[in-house]
Amino acid sequence: MPEATAALTPRQIITAMSGLVIAMLLAMLDNMIVSPALPTIVGDLGGLDHLSWVVTGYILASTVATPIWGKLGDLFGHKATFMSSITIFLIGSALCGMSQDMLQLILFRAIQGLGAGGLMVGIMSVIGLMVSPRERGKYQGIMMAVMPAAMIGGPLIGGFITDNLSWRWVFYVNLPLGLLSLVVVWATLTLPGEVTKKAAQLSIDWLGASVLSVWITALVLTVTWGGSQYAWGSWQIIGLAVVAIAGFALFLIVERRAAEPIIPLQLFSNRNFSVASALGFVVGFAMFGGVTFLPQFQQFVQGQSATNSGLLLMPMMISAMVVSLAGGLLITKTGRYKAIPIVGAAMLVVGLWLFSTMDANTSIAQTGLYMVALGVGMGCLMQTTNLIAQNSVPIRDMGTATGTATFARNMGGSIGVALLGAIYANQLTSSLGDTGGQGTPSASGMTPAALHQLPEAVQIVFKQAVVNGTHAIFLWGAVIAAAAFVLAWLIKEVPLRETLTPDDVAEPADSIGH
């Protein structure tokens, strides 16, 4: 193992990042493009009862694959595994476009999700190996710029393709982008800080990967189906919850004994890594769980179209991008970062609380200001938590640490969307039921277009029910975000690495559990 590694020049980093930007665009655009096409897909392939699995299958496969891709990168090299994940994603995309029925589409979406699980982990791991934590702020704004482009452009592109070409092209459009990314990554990417194990030293934790897949699948299905497909007290949900708990306990036992565990438990003995992972989970829960339902308010209460509700997210996306870039530059200049997640968590609480105060009289301008507050919180937290996690481990564990941190944030988002969604649905149904009387609209199957066709008195009733529902979820989101604010104070400001030596790790944070 070499004692030092040569740093890349800024020009080499920017050139290599061009391929990463394309891959990140693939990862973030996919669901945004597919969503507008789903009604047309169902009309063509049938199988309305299985529609949710087109999304659930993708998310489930991606979530399961995330930590596994991170570990494979540490074992076999991040460039090779990153290119492999792109290849699997493209194969899945091509197969999705050729689907002849809904079951085929669900299976191929799962294959696509397996590849997608390695895209974000691969991108973050590669950046971690190209650029030292101290210098990373100069470049993270480039990656953050992809977020608003995907959030705004995805639904527009998906709707255009569906209306003017064929729904199959929402999958085929990935192919030229993905192939271009593969070529650029292959030709330009060099990872001077990367160290892989020799073939004789390789020991893949197949048992750990299998048990991980089982308990994650059971957990995701529990929170996805609970309160929607099945009642929370049904034997199906209770059974899945038991499998998830037992599987998690077994996973801990297996990982303690594995030679090369998928998620090394000793990583969590580092306080900063544990806090960063927990912070990522809480932030994912509050942020993604809350933001997912903002279009409900915009479309039902403020009367905006689906396209406009996407465009109206610009204040949040742009503020997140600007703050992320500014925060990164500040970290590079000063080497200090503890205040950033504290401020970010505080702004997350403020933004979600402001959203909870919205009512039928809230203007679009007010909503935009609230989005700026939330965007500032996002910009402070998204990259900083990942930076802290990566700075807490040796270079040789970069992929595992990145995969684990990303996995925690994704799990928080998935559980947040499911639980807050159940709260929203129950509050909406309860509010409509409390009105009683004839002509009370049903929450089931209601669309903004259908609502506008109803009498004004009925519209008022339904809009107030939506206001009550969004008030509840944003208020709960603010409460959960308050936990992130508390966690942020537990971060210990450890000096950021300025080199990419394979064994190099910043001064260890206080250990926990010892």
Side-chain angles (χ1 to χ4, degrees):
M1 190 174 292
E3 294 182 358
T5 52
L8 297 177
T9 66
R11 181 176 180 179
Q12 289 175 312
I13 294 172
I14 292 296
T15 302
M17 285 186 69
S18 60
L20 303 184
V21 167
I22 299 172
M24 189 170 184
L25 193 62
L26 279 176
M28 300 194 70
L29 268 179
D30 188 68
N31 274 329
M32 298 292 178
I33 290 180
V34 171
S35 295
L38 285 177
T40 303
I41 291 174
V42 171
D44 190 12
L45 299 181
L48 179 61
D49 294 340
H50 303 298
L51 174 61
S52 63
W53 273 101
V54 175
V55 177
T56 302
Y58 178 91
I59 294 174
L60 189 57
S62 177
T63 303
V64 169
T66 295
I68 297 175
W69 278 114
K71 185 63 180 182
L72 291 177
D74 289 337
L75 292 175
F76 296 102
H78 292 280
K79 179 176 179 178
T81 53
F82 180 49
M83 293 179 67
S84 298
S85 68
I86 297 175
T87 301
I88 293 175
F89 180 84
L90 295 182
I91 291 172
S93 297
L95 291 173
C96 285
M98 295 185 287
S99 300
Q100 299 301 309
D101 57 51
M102 190 62 78
L103 292 180
Q104 286 185 13
L105 179 60
I106 292 169
L107 174 62
F108 298 151
R109 280 284 282 171
I111 294 174
Q112 193 184 29
L114 289 176
L119 292 182
M120 291 302 295
V121 175
I123 291 166
M124 294 298 105
S125 298
V126 166
I127 292 176
L129 289 168
M130 286 197 304
V131 188
S132 70
R134 181 66 183 266
E135 297 294 318
R136 205 165 295 158
K138 296 179 181 179
Y139 304 98
Q140 67 181 14
I142 298 174
M143 306 306 296
M144 283 296 296
V146 176
M147 184 186 296
M151 292 286 290
I152 296 168
L156 297 177
I157 296 172
F160 177 83
I161 289 175
T162 303
D163 292 339
N164 296 280
L165 297 173
S166 163
W167 64 263
R168 298 182 186 275
W169 278 97
V170 302
F171 300 108
Y172 291 149
V173 74
N174 292 327
L175 301 182
L177 283 175
L179 290 173
L180 178 60
S181 179
L182 276 176
V183 171
V184 175
V185 169
W186 175 79
T188 66
L189 185 58
T190 302
L191 300 176
E194 183 171 42
V195 174
T196 58
K197 290 184 176 293
K198 296 179 180 179
Q201 298 175 318
L202 290 176
S203 176
I204 301 176
D205 183 17
W206 294 114
L207 179 59
S210 301
V211 177
L212 176 73
S213 301
V214 170
W215 78 261
I216 291 177
T217 300
L219 178 60
V220 171
L221 291 181
T222 298
V223 298
T224 301
W225 285 350
S228 56
Q229 298 287 330
Y230 305 99
W232 284 105
S234 66
W235 68 265
Q236 292 94 338
I237 298 303
I238 294 175
L240 284 170
V242 170
V243 171
I245 295 171
F248 178 70
L250 179 59
F251 178 72
L252 295 180
I253 296 172
V254 170
E255 294 304 272
R256 287 184 180 275
R257 299 177 179 179
E260 288 288 348
I262 295 295
I263 299 179
L265 300 183
Q266 65 266 26
L267 291 178
F268 294 96
S269 65
N270 182 291
R271 188 176 81 182
N272 268 8
F273 182 84
S274 297
V275 172
S277 298
L279 191 58
F281 179 89
V282 174
V283 168
F285 187 107
M287 185 173 64
F288 293 118
V291 171
T292 298
F293 299 96
L294 184 56
Q296 294 282 321
F297 181 88
Q298 292 174 313
Q299 294 180 37
F300 281 115
V301 180
Q302 294 184 325
Q304 300 298 312
S305 67
T307 300
N308 284 345
S309 65
L311 293 174
L312 289 172
L313 293 175
M314 284 184 67
M316 180 172 61
M317 294 296 105
I318 292 175
S319 60
M321 179 182 67
V322 171
V323 170
S324 178
L325 178 58
L329 292 174
L330 182 63
I331 291 173
T332 298
K333 182 177 181 179
T334 65
R336 307 184 70 86
Y337 54 83
K338 181 173 181 176
I340 295 178
I342 293 174
V343 172
M347 292 303 297
L348 195 65
V349 174
V350 170
L352 290 169
W353 177 79
L354 288 172
F355 280 137
S356 74
T357 66
M358 296 188 302
D359 56 30
N361 298 317
T362 301
S363 67
I364 294 175
Q366 284 178 281
T367 308
L369 289 175
Y370 300 166
M371 287 184 194
V372 170
L374 191 63
V376 170
M378 291 170 58
C380 288
L381 290 165
M382 291 291 286
Q383 297 297 331
T384 310
T385 53
N386 189 65
L387 176 70
I388 294 170
Q390 291 182 334
N391 191 58
S392 302
V393 301
I395 295 293
R396 63 177 179 271
D397 291 328
M398 183 66 66
T400 302
T402 305
T404 302
T406 304
F407 166 72
R409 186 168 60 246
N410 289 347
M411 287 299 295
S414 299
I415 294 173
V417 169
L419 294 183
L420 292 180
I423 292 173
Y424 174 77
N426 289 337
Q427 186 66 48
L428 187 65
T429 303
S430 175
S431 296
L432 292 174
D434 290 343
T435 61
Q438 296 290 330
T440 301
S442 170
S444 177
M446 180 62 70
T447 65
L451 179 64
H452 294 156
Q453 303 301 317
L454 298 176
E456 184 176 355
V458 177
Q459 291 187 40
I460 292 174
V461 169
F462 192 86
K463 287 180 179 180
Q464 185 57 48
V466 172
V467 167
N468 294 341
T470 53
H471 167 77
I473 60 173
F474 286 125
L475 193 58
W476 274 108
V479 171
I480 298 299
F485 180 73
V486 175
L487 284 169
W489 284 96
L490 299 178
I491 293 172
K492 181 180 179 181
E493 196 152 47
V494 178
L496 294 172
R497 287 195 302 263
E498 298 187 27
T499 65
L500 291 172
T501 303
D503 273 330
D504 190 25
V505 62
E507 178 186 345
D510 293 344
S511 294
I512 59 175
H514 294 286

